[in-house]
Amino acid sequence: KMERVFTKEELKKFDGKNGNPVYVAYKGEVYDVPGSELWKDGTHWYEHTAGSDLTNSLDEEAPHTHLVLERFPKVGKLKVFDEE
């Protein structure tokens, strides 16, 4: 089975609003974090929004490590363009 590849634009649609799934990216992996109350309505601690790449914020700001994401299913990869 081919792994789904998300562009940043596609990822933005998974923002947890209006019943949309809650997906976040970290270091090129896309995770589904639906069941977490911490992501209610697509925001996490009023700082992070679903549908975005959290690589920099997790590495610099989060009180936990990225390993917390390992509890959630990976749903694909984030397409990273060379110019970014």
Side-chain angles (χ1 to χ4, degrees):
K1 176 175 168 262
M2 286 278 297
E3 204 168 28
R4 179 162 178 188
V5 177
F6 296 84
T7 64
K8 286 192 176 185
E9 280 304 307
E10 287 172 320
L11 187 63
K12 286 178 189 170
K13 297 174 190 161
F14 296 91
D15 59 4
K17 296 184 183 0
N18 302 316
N20 289 331
V22 177
Y23 289 0
V24 296
Y26 177 76
K27 293 201 172 167
E29 302 284 352
V30 178
Y31 296 87
D32 182 355
V33 291
S36 176
E37 274 295 301
L38 296 175
W39 281 99
K40 198 165 174 61
D41 299 322
T43 57
H44 183 59
W45 296 115
Y46 306 103
E47 269 179 60
H48 309 298
T49 53
S52 60
D53 184 353
L54 301 181
T55 302
N56 292 336
S57 23
L58 257 178
D59 286 347
E60 294 165 16
E61 302 159 15
H64 54 73
T65 69
H66 67 279
L67 294 175
V68 71
L69 288 172
E70 296 295 326
R71 287 187 269 180
F72 300 106
K74 287 182 191 173
V75 290
K77 300 253 183 222
L78 183 64
K79 184 173 185 175
V80 182
F81 300 100
D82 293 332
E83 63 268 22
E84 287 183 340

